[in-house]
Amino acid sequence: MAPLATGTDTPHNISGSPIIQANNTSDFTVLASSRAVIDDTLGPATIVISTTTGKIIAVYHDILPTSSFPPATPYTDYSPHVLLPGLVDAHVHLNEPGRTEWEGFWTGTQAAAFGGVTTVVDMPLNAIPPTTTVAGLKEKIAAAKGQCWVDVGFYGGIIPGNTAELKPLVREGVRGFKGFLIDSGVEEFPAVSSTDVALAFLELADEPTTVMFHAEMIPPITASVGDDVQWSLPPLEPTGPLDRYQTFLDSRPASFETYAILEILSLAHLAPNLPLHIVHLSAIEAIPMLRQARAAGVKITAETCFHYLSLAAEQIQEGDTRHKCCPPIRNQANQDGLWEEMLDVRDSVIRTVVSDHSPCTPNLKLLPSHVPGSTISLKSAKPGAGDFFNAWGGISSVGLGISILWTEAKRRSLPTEANLQNLVRWCCVNTAQQVGLEDRKGALRVGLDGDVAVFDPEAEFEVQSSSMLFRNKCSPYQGKRLSGVVRETWLRGRRVHCRDGGFGSGVKPVGRLLLEPRR
């Protein structure tokens, strides 16, 4: 047990007087439950959070009564709901400024808070300008101020020609860097060559950062040329109709991922101390090479996404372009392989699970009229509706991730206690560590931010507009019934969202921008 202001290690004094003495009873708030995940253990806990600093000042492995605290202390016993650390979603596209109609800080962070996410890290694209220069970062910061309902960090981008900007971006507090080895889909964020990667590795070799990659490359010999396939001559023609998902899947085979990862590994020796990371890993064929590299001492990890763990190619209907993303959603056997790897908790190369929330306006998805979220009526249907090749690629799911994971884990009949511990490991502890925030986020521990998700694992809900708080209500999860509900979200000791009461009338966002340089 952690000592409090009385200097004792016991829950309360022999006389029964309050354990904390305070001149102002609003100096702290108390959250308790019969179930909380504390240091990889599920059990009863009482968590005391300073309302002045927002930090956790005590954690007790028991439910203390209200009499342990001064009169009128804010105190809630959430039993039997589970207290979890606030989730850290380390891969979110908020798109503001420049493409705010796709997503923005206000709506994107509200959606995060809805699902117990208390920290998001914004990708360096698809905003205009991208976060590839210090000037671009400053524009991003200016756009975010006063709009964030949760805490927000930022990644920098690696593109051809911006090597000189990388160290200054580290000093300005970016949480890491991302580069594309294939066309990103937006012209202001071009793909990098192997030469560009080598320059970045040499520049960042001794910096406190992580370099991440969208790991797809077109191998020298292939039966596909990706999104340009429909304009190619035989034998590079599509394998079928453009509104059939299998046609799109055939155009982004697993070899795109494995080839890209081999290229990254071939350059890793240039910066042996630099942590490397593969974003949104989808292909299980890449796992053996990543395991082998880690065994050889290469500092490389991978993440996967909620959609790769819950959606399968066999279930995607014709024209339902809500499912388009890159790398693509693969078949059920591949999904099973990702789960098998992740559940090897000690040795898995997949350390984190993130949303890769990558939204756009519904018209860019080219949804046919029969798909929920379509802006096309039956009378105004146009050629190209349902075209997986021309539709924008990205899955909208920020704030739904904890329920998606929980639903799939239940479907697989995985044990409850282990599920809760794994969820915290994948979405809190390891994601915080990945972005250099482990001294502030990711656990219910004294000295860390008082970020708490109150999780009801028994409740269910159907995903509709009211549960998709991101700007554009276009997601493959719409209409699906999910298990597990975040009842409340607390950010640094303040309740920022309540499932039954929303964000509260007149409440202003209190999210902070996480710009302290990594150490």
Side-chain angles (χ1 to χ4, degrees), residues 162-186:
N162 81 325
T163 305
E165 293 279 353
L166 303 183
K167 285 183 179 177
L169 282 167
V170 172
R171 307 290 181 263
E172 293 292 329
V174 298
R175 313 315 308 173
F177 292 90
K178 180 184 182 181
F180 273 72
L181 295 176
I182 201 168
D183 179 31
S184 72
V186 292

Side-chain angles (χ1 to χ4, degrees), residues 89-409:
D89 192 338
H91 192 144
V92 177
H93 294 265
L94 293 174
N95 301 341
E96 187 175 4
R99 291 190 175 95
T100 310
E101 70 276 14
W102 292 17
E103 188 63 275
F105 289 101
W106 185 276
T107 50
T109 58
Q110 279 196 342
F114 173 89
V117 177
T118 52
T119 305
V120 301
V121 187
D122 179 56
M123 279 291 164
L125 71 164
N126 300 301
I128 302 173
T131 315
T132 53
T133 65
V134 170
L137 174 62
K138 291 186 182 300
E139 286 197 46
K140 175 81 73 168
I141 292 168
K145 285 182 177 178
Q147 291 208 76
C148 299
W149 292 88
V150 301
D151 289 352
V152 176
F154 303 93
Y155 288 120
I158 297 175
I159 61 172
N162 81 325
T163 305
E165 293 279 353
L166 303 183
K167 285 183 179 177
L169 282 167
V170 172
R171 307 290 181 263
E172 293 292 329
V174 298
R175 313 315 308 173
F177 292 90
K178 180 184 182 181
F180 273 72
L181 295 176
I182 201 168
D183 179 31
S184 72
V186 292
E187 61 182 0
E188 65 275 3
F189 204 96
V192 289
S193 66
S194 297
T195 300
D196 299 317
V197 173
L199 290 172
F201 281 2
L202 293 171
E203 184 74 1
L204 296 171
D206 299 312
E207 295 296 320
T209 193
T210 300
V211 176
M212 310 180 300
F213 292 97
H214 180 125
E216 286 185 289
M217 292 180 75
I218 301 174
I221 301 174
T222 179
S224 168
V225 290
D227 280 1
D228 290 333
V229 69
Q230 69 267 35
W231 291 295
S232 302
L233 298 173
L236 304 180
E237 289 181 325
T239 58
L242 302 185
D243 65 349
R244 186 174 298 167
Y245 185 74
Q246 187 63 47
T247 308
F248 173 67
L249 181 58
D250 289 344
S251 81
R252 314 284 291 219
S255 59
F256 278 31
E257 291 189 70
T258 56
Y259 185 70
I261 290 170
L262 284 173
E263 190 70 13
I264 294 162
L265 293 175
S266 75
L267 299 168
H269 68 279
L270 297 174
N273 296 319
L274 180 64
L276 307 177
H277 185 73
I278 305 302
V279 300
H280 49 51
L281 180 74
S282 80
I284 58 173
E285 289 85 348
I287 291 172
M289 64 179 66
L290 288 169
R291 278 182 168 264
Q292 183 178 5
R294 285 172 59 84
V298 179
K299 294 184 176 182
I300 190 165
T301 55
E303 68 188 37
T304 193
C305 301
F306 304 121
H307 42 276
Y308 299 131
L309 297 171
S310 62
L311 304 174
E314 297 94 327
Q315 301 167 357
I316 300 174
Q317 301 300 308
E318 288 188 6
D320 194 349
T321 52
R322 296 175 303 171
H323 293 80
K324 180 185 176 179
C325 59
C326 299
I329 295 162
R330 303 193 187 278
N331 62 23
Q332 185 63 57
N334 187 88
Q335 182 192 116
D336 294 342
L338 292 174
W339 273 97
E340 181 180 356
E341 173 66 14
M342 287 169 50
L343 291 171
D344 183 5
V345 174
R346 178 172 296 181
D347 296 323
S348 178
V349 299
I350 302 174
R351 309 300 296 170
T352 54
V353 184
V354 296
S355 69
D356 188 10
H357 176 67
S358 185
C360 66
T361 52
N363 62 301
L364 296 178
K365 275 293 187 183
L366 302 179
L367 294 174
S369 57
H370 69 276
V371 174
S374 174
T375 59
I376 300 173
S377 68
L378 287 171
K379 293 182 179 179
S380 64
K382 298 177 181 178
D387 181 342
F388 280 100
F389 289 84
N390 282 312
W392 175 259
I395 304 290
S396 292
S397 65
V398 67
L400 300 177
I402 188 171
S403 301
I404 294 168
L405 268 188
W406 192 251
T407 302
E408 184 60 26

